[in-house]
Amino acid sequence: MKKVLVFILSFAFSCAMPRVIVLQDPLNAEEHLNLGYIYERKGELKLAKEEYEKALQKDKNMWKAHFNLGNVYAKMEDYAKAEREYKRALELKPNHPDILNNLAWVLYKQGRKEEALLLIKKAISIDDKEEYRNTLREIEGS
């Protein structure tokens, strides 16, 4: 009887109880944003997109993450999604000329020239950069 009890107890203690392991994301929103930018510069658009989305999970009001996500979608030629992200960025950072420029470009790529012209002219009125003038020339040239 004693041997049976020892066997049962040793069997019971030798079997590990299942454990649930919860891994926490150690990065904050800004760090995900920076990592996404690194991936984007290397051409790793899928990884960049994932990092920008993680940044937004941590901070829904991070306009730069929406802007950069719009840039990724634009590079992937998914202009409708790029437009959506640029508009979200503009809601958080109204009249930002870089956002206006990029939104104008994706609207133009979707065949919405008149809307694009209004936005790029607004961007130029805020900050007269050569890159905005290039966007204007491209839109007007079509």
Side-chain angles (χ1 to χ4, degrees), residues 15-109:
C15 297
M17 293 297 292
R19 295 183 201 176
V20 175
I21 298 173
V22 179
L23 298 177
Q24 301 240 339
D25 183 356
L27 302 182
N28 64 32
E30 191 72 30
E31 291 166 329
H32 280 294
L33 181 75
N34 292 336
L35 186 55
Y37 185 72
I38 291 167
Y39 283 135
E40 185 180 348
R41 297 227 2 151
K42 292 175 110 181
E44 299 283 346
L45 299 181
K46 184 177 181 229
L47 293 173
K49 178 181 161 295
E50 290 171 6
E51 291 303 321
Y52 295 144
E53 288 169 345
K54 288 177 186 176
L56 288 168
Q57 286 172 358
K58 295 199 174 225
D59 182 356
K60 292 179 179 83
N61 295 322
M62 181 176 263
W63 73 269
K64 286 182 183 180
H66 285 292
F67 177 73
N68 289 354
L69 192 52
N71 292 342
V72 167
Y73 283 127
K75 288 175 184 174
M76 297 168 87
E77 298 183 0
D78 191 338
Y79 300 122
K81 286 183 181 176
E83 176 186 352
R84 180 190 70 211
E85 294 303 326
Y86 290 142
K87 285 182 175 179
R88 287 179 179 163
L90 268 180
E91 287 173 10
L92 298 167
K93 193 78 168 172
N95 298 319
H96 192 287
D98 288 343
I99 303 170
L100 291 168
N101 175 71
N102 292 18
L103 179 56
W105 189 79
V106 298
L107 291 174
Y108 163 70
K109 295 304 267 183

